[in-house]
Amino acid sequence: VFKKAVKRAWTTAMELKIRLGAFGAVAAVCCLSLSQGFVPGVAPSASLARGHGLSGLGRSEGFVTSSALPLAILALAGAGARIRRTSRRSSLDGKLDVSSYYAAPKEDATKDWVMQQTMFRVKDPKRSLDFYTKVLGMSLITVGDFPQWGFTVFFVGYPPEKELGPIPEDDSEKFAYCMKVPGCIELTWNHGSEAEDGDQVYNTGNSDSTGSGDGEKVRGGFGHIGITVPDVYDACQRFKDMGAEFTKSPNAGGMKGLAFVKDPDGYLVEVLPLGKGFPFPTKEVDCCGVALDGGAGYKDNSK
């Protein structure tokens, strides 16, 4: 029994990524085993799927179900772990149980598929390329020109060059390379749109009257794309210095530490911290001078 407990302790400590002492890890998992009825051959993480959060000496966290909590708290507290309750549950407070989606195995048929692109129609390709490559720092990966159909497409993104190598210099190889890059933006220029009246000629999907016919705002379904950056506040200062328009600066709104900027056609770009959980890192004042305790509340951009 003790050997099994030690094995479970080590496996769980690795999965939870908390640095507990040997005795603390053994005690914690023994308590969890008793209260959860772990059996050999069943991964402990299957029973640690929802309920309460525990964070150890690092920044990662694991989850303990409610029935395990009384004994687990004693063991984990004795081992130096910090205990906190989390509101994020697989059941979403009864609205929808998503646990089966988390647990679903990856199908062999789709294991090599990639979420490769989102397409935006843009009025003026030059101003869009300037924004995405100079302001957001993306690379132009490939261009496809189709004069017979009256449009040109420009693929921009952040190629993972460590895995894929640099963008090929040979134009004939660029498209195939691009199709391996996750999360590209396909900027589509329908020839002649640059000469149309108005700053925007396409509906952005966010409470926008463009193209609605009756001039009324449309309750759009599309929301935004998003990028992650090491420091949201530093990135937003860069965007502001380069003339970008904000719909939400980092300290504005109800959710602090994230921002929204507009591209030249009015599409929203969310700016999030790279590799950080919620609540996000914050600073007392953001690039627009908004204090951390300032700014209006949450706004639904679809309305």
Side-chain angles (χ1 to χ4, degrees), residues 32-96:
L32 294 174
S33 298
L34 290 171
S35 58
Q36 281 296 314
F38 287 165
V39 295
V42 177
S45 57
S47 296
L48 300 176
R50 58 187 180 275
H52 296 77
L54 59 95
S55 58
L57 303 181
R59 295 195 177 194
S60 300
E61 60 183 34
F63 296 89
V64 182
T65 54
S66 297
S67 60
L69 204 59
L71 289 173
I73 282 179
L74 293 176
L76 291 168
R82 300 187 305 276
I83 311 296
R84 66 179 177 83
R85 185 178 179 88
T86 178
S87 61
R88 294 182 179 241
R89 295 189 177 126
S90 294
S91 65
L92 299 178
D93 293 326
K95 292 187 286 291
L96 174 66

Side-chain angles (χ1 to χ4, degrees), residues 25-181:
V26 171
V29 179
C30 283
C31 288
L32 294 174
S33 298
L34 290 171
S35 58
Q36 281 296 314
F38 287 165
V39 295
V42 177
S45 57
S47 296
L48 300 176
R50 58 187 180 275
H52 296 77
L54 59 95
S55 58
L57 303 181
R59 295 195 177 194
S60 300
E61 60 183 34
F63 296 89
V64 182
T65 54
S66 297
S67 60
L69 204 59
L71 289 173
I73 282 179
L74 293 176
L76 291 168
R82 300 187 305 276
I83 311 296
R84 66 179 177 83
R85 185 178 179 88
T86 178
S87 61
R88 294 182 179 241
R89 295 189 177 126
S90 294
S91 65
L92 299 178
D93 293 326
K95 292 187 286 291
L96 174 66
D97 187 348
V98 297
S99 58
S100 62
Y101 298 99
Y102 279 129
K106 182 70 174 178
E107 294 187 23
D108 286 342
T110 64
K111 63 182 177 64
D112 295 323
W113 294 8
V114 174
M115 168 54 204
Q116 197 276 326
Q117 65 183 260
T118 295
M119 187 273 267
F120 289 158
R121 295 180 182 90
V122 301
K123 177 182 178 178
D124 183 335
K126 184 182 186 309
R127 72 176 187 176
S128 294
L129 286 170
D130 283 347
F131 175 81
Y132 282 97
T133 62
K134 296 178 181 179
V135 179
L136 295 190
M138 294 184 181
S139 298
L140 175 62
I141 303 173
T142 190
V143 177
D145 189 31
F146 302 94
Q148 68 273 37
W149 296 311
F151 71 91
T152 304
V153 295
F154 308 85
F155 285 86
V156 295
Y158 300 111
E161 294 191 1
K162 289 183 178 180
E163 290 78 22
L164 299 180
I167 300 170
E169 294 185 4
D170 188 336
D171 286 345
S172 65
E173 298 176 1
K174 288 179 178 178
F175 184 81
Y177 175 94
C178 181
M179 292 300 103
K180 300 176 185 178
V181 178

